[in-house]
Amino acid sequence: MVIQFYNTLSRSKELFHKEPGQKVGMYCCGPTVYYFAHIGNLRPYVAWDVLRRLLEQRKFKVTHVMNITDVGHLVSDDDSGEDKIEKTAREQQKSPEEIADFYTDAFLYDLEKMRVQLPHHLVKARKHIPEMIALIQKLEKKGYTYTTPSGVYFDTQKFPQYGKMANLNMDELKAVRQDVERDDAKKHPADFRLWQLNQPHHLQQWDSPWGRGYPGWHIECSAMSMKYLGEHFDIHTGGNDHINIHHPNEIAQSEAATGKKFADYWLHSAFMRIDNQKMSKSLKNVYLIRDIENHQLKPLAYRFLLLTTHYRSELNFTWESIRAAQTTLDKWNEFIQRLQKYAGAHSNNEINALIAQAKEKVEASFDDDINTAEALGELSQFQRRVNGLMDQQKLSKADTRKILEFLQDVDEVLGVFDFAQQETIIPANVLQLAQQREAARKSKDWAQSDALRAQIEKEGFAVLDTKEGFELKALKPAH
Ligand code: AMP
Ligand code: ZN
């Protein structure tokens, strides 16, 4: 059982270096809460939820931190344009805090619907301004900053490894960054603002050693991750749009300040397209979770759809694909119910081997950079085999219990199936009566069969005849 992750830093799969039982720090770049999250935005959070679930299932002690960006994220990731939150605040004539809090709640509600677990620390940028100022001061002391009338900048040329994450050298970065806001006082196009100054119309402002202003978006993640996870931690995640700007900036400012490696593993999720097109307002394809619900589909069907594609592969969302995901998920839940209700008596001595084989393959897929798509492929083969065995009555109740246990283990990672339907506990004598009745039916002894049915009912159970034999249902709800 060795977990491997694709680390964007090395552009290769690397073995996860920790042992079960050890602590694992995981920081996931969170949303900028200026509007409802669209379904593309939600993709990374499902991916990292599965990552956390996998680590926890393997007994790592995970501390999961995620930020809520409620200040400083400008319309363009490269520090240009208006602050996203303030733009909405002006449009809706509300305060930036009201906007941020409203969309944070909406975001958390979407996560809940998709069974994404809340991080242990969900941290708001505007509540961590002193930590950000302290980090900038540290950088200033070490000579990594310079100040212009528009703000305090990080001097990327003082950090020679700057382009490592993006896999670009400083000249290439210059070329890539032609679109970056012109600030003639900037020494290099890749330099980025740590603290913004002289923006009198900005609503959220704080005093700082450099004057009134507000933090840059990038410094938020460094200050908050280090506060909750320490100067060096294990896993840092985000969407792959962060590979070229946001994450190189986080690495530069954190490592320059501490002299330590910031995070060991950098995982990035791929983008999603809609009907093979970019999501955009003009194409009217910026769908929200509520649009999924308005199509009479469940948010969990969307989670299932995401799981059917590896997190690093681009995904093409269509209404057809999510409908198919809903159908497959429904089949899984029906399968689970069938297993829960199954009451056959023919014990199968190959079942342990069948489960062990499926378990090995599924775990190997999870361990291989969280390949949920491959795991689901294995699982659907397993489902077909087991359904076949139930059709032929070649399983016992005890066998189905083992199968259910295995599926529950798998779902600790996937978080998508429904086991809620309470399994009825059937007393041994009732099961025996039902088996005797089944035998009577087979020998066409209807009188005996009816007598046994009456006896079963006296015990509080109804017996139904099914394709694979019989099913027992409690007449009164279990208490
Ligand atoms: P924002 O809240 O605007 O900062 O966006 C949050 C994150 O959502 C982005 O940084 C991306 O990683 C992710 N994201 C945005 N659009 C898509 C998309 N179409 N597919 C997948 N992820 C996306
Ligand atoms: Zn971040």
Side-chain angles (χ1 to χ4, degrees):
M1 215 168 53
V2 268
I3 304 183
Q4 293 190 76
F5 296 128
Y6 182 88
N7 190 347
T8 308
L9 259 188
S10 64
R11 301 293 196 274
S12 65
K13 279 187 197 167
E14 292 177 16
L15 288 180
F16 188 52
H17 63 159
K18 289 257 163 125
E19 294 295 327
Q22 285 187 303
K23 287 184 181 167
V24 172
M26 166 172 151
Y27 184 88
C28 304
C29 285
T32 304
V33 281
Y34 64 103
Y35 194 60
F36 295 107
H38 60 60
I39 56 174
N41 292 139
L42 294 168
R43 183 178 192 194
Y45 308 115
V46 171
W48 316 137
D49 181 54
V50 175
L51 162 63
R52 168 177 160 185
R53 285 164 176 270
L54 173 63
L55 291 169
E56 285 179 339
Q57 197 203 39
R58 300 296 163 78
K59 310 282 180 243
F60 293 96
K61 293 189 180 128
V62 182
T63 305
H64 176 197
V65 181
M66 184 168 82
N67 64 302
I68 295 285
T69 298
D70 50 10
V71 62
H73 193 171
L74 304 191
V75 168
S76 175
D77 282 359
D78 59 30
D79 297 333
S80 58
E82 209 180 337
D83 183 309
K84 289 186 182 189
I85 311 258
E86 299 223 341
K87 186 167 181 276
T88 316
R90 284 181 216 282
E91 283 163 7
Q92 297 191 16
Q93 298 187 341
K94 299 233 166 74
S95 72
E97 292 82 3
E98 280 173 313
I99 293 296
D101 291 346
F102 176 81
Y103 289 113
T104 301
D105 288 347
F107 170 71
L108 297 180
Y109 192 41
D110 283 346
L111 293 192
E112 193 184 320
K113 285 184 184 171
M114 297 184 75
R115 262 186 220 165
V116 172
Q117 301 174 101
L118 279 188
H120 302 102
H121 302 278
L122 184 73
V123 291
K124 294 186 176 182
R126 71 174 198 262
K127 309 270 186 203
H128 293 78
I129 304 295
E131 287 86 346
M132 296 174 205
I133 291 176
L135 187 58
I136 302 169
Q137 280 180 306
K138 212 166 169 183
L139 289 167
E140 187 177 41
K141 237 185 184 162
K142 291 193 169 188
Y144 284 103
T145 66
Y146 60 91
T147 305
T148 77
S150 74
V152 182
Y153 280 93
F154 184 90
D155 190 345
T156 53
Q157 289 170 100
K158 294 233 169 95
F159 190 77
Q161 318 86 297
Y162 180 76
K164 189 163 176 245
M165 163 67 78
N167 232 354
L168 298 167
N169 64 35
M170 287 312 275
D171 284 339
E172 287 168 324
L173 279 167
K174 225 179 241 178
V176 171
R177 300 292 186 78
Q178 280 313 325
D179 60 329
V180 172
E181 187 196 16
R182 288 275 127 220
D183 178 346
D184 289 339
K186 235 162 106 163
K187 294 185 187 167
H188 189 282
D191 294 352
F192 55 94
R193 227 175 268 135
L194 300 164
W195 189 263
Q196 180 100 22
L197 288 168
N198 294 317
Q199 295 276 320
H201 300 299
H202 202 268
L203 300 168
Q204 299 191 93
Q205 305 246 12
W206 292 265
D207 287 328
S208 82
W210 312 278
R212 258 184 102 65
Y214 59 94
W217 168 45
H218 316 292
I219 198 77
E220 299 179 358
C221 285
S222 290
M224 295 193 284
S225 59
M226 286 199 256
K227 173 168 180 178
Y228 294 95
L229 296 172
E231 293 179 345
H232 165 247
F233 56 91
D234 303 288
I235 303 175
H236 194 311
T237 70
N240 65 9
D241 54 327
H242 294 334
I243 297 174
N244 279 349
I245 303 178
H246 182 52
H247 288 167
N249 292 357
E250 274 192 49
I251 293 174
Q253 64 204 359
S254 307
E255 297 191 356
T258 67
K260 292 180 190 155
K261 189 172 186 190
F262 182 40
D264 289 333
Y265 299 87
W266 289 81
L267 275 63
H268 292 99
S269 58
F271 261 50
M272 195 173 86
R273 288 165 72 81
I274 308 275
D275 293 318
N276 269 320
Q277 285 172 307
K278 214 179 145 182
M279 231 185 257
S280 80
K281 274 190 192 157
S282 58
L283 291 170
K284 295 195 169 50
N285 64 3
V286 183
Y287 300 131
L288 312 180
I289 286 294
R290 68 174 64 166
D291 294 314
I292 288 179
E293 291 174 310
N294 288 341
H295 277 72
Q296 313 305 321
L297 294 160
K298 294 192 186 111
L300 278 182
Y302 179 53
R303 181 179 177 106
F304 190 84
L305 177 67
L306 294 178
L307 298 175
T308 59
T309 305
H310 188 252
Y311 75 91
R312 275 192 299 113
S313 303
E314 195 173 89
L315 188 144
N316 183 35
F317 176 95
T318 62
W319 287 107
E320 210 174 24
S321 67
I322 188 171
R323 255 179 242 119
Q326 177 80 69
T327 304
T328 314
L329 180 58
D330 287 345
K331 277 198 186 132
W332 268 108
N333 290 331
E334 283 159 20
F335 175 61
I336 287 164
Q337 285 184 16
R338 190 180 179 197
L339 286 163
Q340 287 173 336
K341 288 179 187 162
Y342 183 84
H346 182 105
S347 130
N348 188 325
N349 52 19
E350 281 170 26
I351 198 65
N352 287 346
L354 188 70
I355 295 173
Q357 205 182 35
K359 189 174 156 76
E360 195 184 316
K361 286 187 176 162
V362 168
E363 285 184 355
S365 304
F366 286 154
D367 287 355
D368 182 14
D369 195 28
I370 333 168
N371 198 337
T372 51
E374 200 179 87
L376 281 169
E378 294 297 340
L379 284 167
S380 77
Q381 284 187 34
F382 177 75
Q383 188 199 62
R384 225 168 294 135
R385 281 288 300 276
V386 173
N387 264 329
L389 292 173
M390 284 197 283
D391 288 345
Q392 299 163 45
Q393 283 224 63
K394 286 190 176 162
L395 285 179
S396 68
K397 185 79 194 151
D399 293 334
T400 54
R401 284 223 174 93
K402 285 183 199 161
I403 295 167
L404 281 164
E405 261 168 42
F406 163 58
L407 292 177
Q408 250 156 341
D409 275 359
V410 167
D411 199 54
E412 276 181 21
V413 180
L414 297 177
V416 77
F417 298 145
D418 272 322
F419 293 85
Q421 159 134 348
Q422 278 301 311
E423 196 178 352
T424 314
I425 297 166
I426 297 163
N429 65 321
V430 175
L431 190 59
Q432 211 176 6
L433 289 171
Q435 283 159 0
Q436 285 168 8
R437 179 180 167 273
E438 178 70 2
R441 268 169 53 80
K442 276 200 180 133
S443 55
K444 300 197 190 320
D445 184 349
W446 308 119
Q448 173 71 349
S449 158
D450 285 349
L452 285 161
R453 174 194 290 278
Q455 237 180 306
I456 292 166
E457 282 175 3
K458 252 171 113 180
E459 295 286 337
F461 286 85
V463 59
L464 313 170
D465 300 316
T466 62
K467 199 162 60 165
E468 50 269 352
F470 59 84
E471 190 185 306
L472 287 162
K473 270 196 173 161
L475 286 172
K476 279 181 283 183
H479 41 255

